[in-house]
Amino acid sequence: MFRRDLIAFSALMMLGAPVLAGESGNHAAGTVQVTAAQIEQLLSGNTIRGTWGGTGYTQYYGEGGFTVYIPDGGPPSRGKWRVKEDTDQYDSWWENTGWTPYTVVMTNNGYAWVNKDSLEHFEVLEGKQAEF
């Protein structure tokens, strides 16, 4: 985990960021929602590596709102990204789906996307760590 990830998580806890209590059983108790500003800082100019629905992927977030998604064993797809300050969510755009919002949380195991009633964990790699 990046040192700044640890610092960001500590700041989230001290600032009293919303904690998703998991009352409906959808999210693990103790997950902390990441703010729009923190999402921007976390992703802009960086790469993430994770799984989505059991499939591994790498994704680069360029400054200026472009993103490239590379599924393991598949071709890269180019899309767009932004943050929604009014909802503290990440928003992605793909040709086949349009804009779709996602909540980002910090857990005891690092960062994760909220995907319906599951968490899709990912790690942040500093800079452009993907070939496309």
Side-chain angles (χ1 to χ4, degrees), residues 43 57 70 93 104 124:
L43 298 180
Y57 72 92
I70 309 163
W93 181 91
V104 179
V124 179

Side-chain angles (χ1 to χ4, degrees), residues 25-38:
N26 290 344
H27 311 296
T31 59
V32 178
Q33 183 173 350
V34 179
T35 68
Q38 292 162 332

Side-chain angles (χ1 to χ4, degrees), residues 9 19 37 39 50 72 80 82 87 92 96 107 119 128-129:
F9 182 68
V19 175
I39 295 168
D72 289 356
K80 301 174 189 176
R82 64 186 180 194
T87 60
S92 67
N96 59 337
T107 73
L119 297 177
K128 182 178 175 252
Q129 303 292 321

Side-chain angles (χ1 to χ4, degrees), residues 10-110:
S10 298
L12 282 170
M13 298 308 287
M14 287 188 288
L15 293 174
V19 175
L20 305 175
E23 293 172 4
S24 64
N26 290 344
H27 311 296
T31 59
V32 178
Q33 183 173 350
V34 179
T35 68
Q38 292 162 332
I39 295 168
E40 178 84 29
Q41 181 180 8
L42 183 70
L43 298 180
S44 189
N46 289 325
T47 304
I48 67 169
R49 177 87 183 121
T51 58
W52 188 270
T55 301
Y57 72 92
T58 301
Q59 188 165 355
Y60 175 70
Y61 295 89
E63 295 179 18
F66 81 92
T67 186
V68 178
Y69 175 85
I70 309 163
D72 289 356
S77 297
R78 189 176 177 110
K80 301 174 189 176
W81 74 281
R82 64 186 180 194
V83 295
K84 296 176 70 174
E85 293 196 18
D86 59 329
T87 60
D88 284 326
Q89 290 181 303
Y90 160 87
D91 219 10
S92 67
W93 181 91
W94 304 99
E95 189 172 322
N96 59 337
T97 60
W99 288 105
T100 306
Y102 294 95
T103 298
V104 179
V105 296
M106 175 62 107
T107 73
N108 291 335
N109 296 321

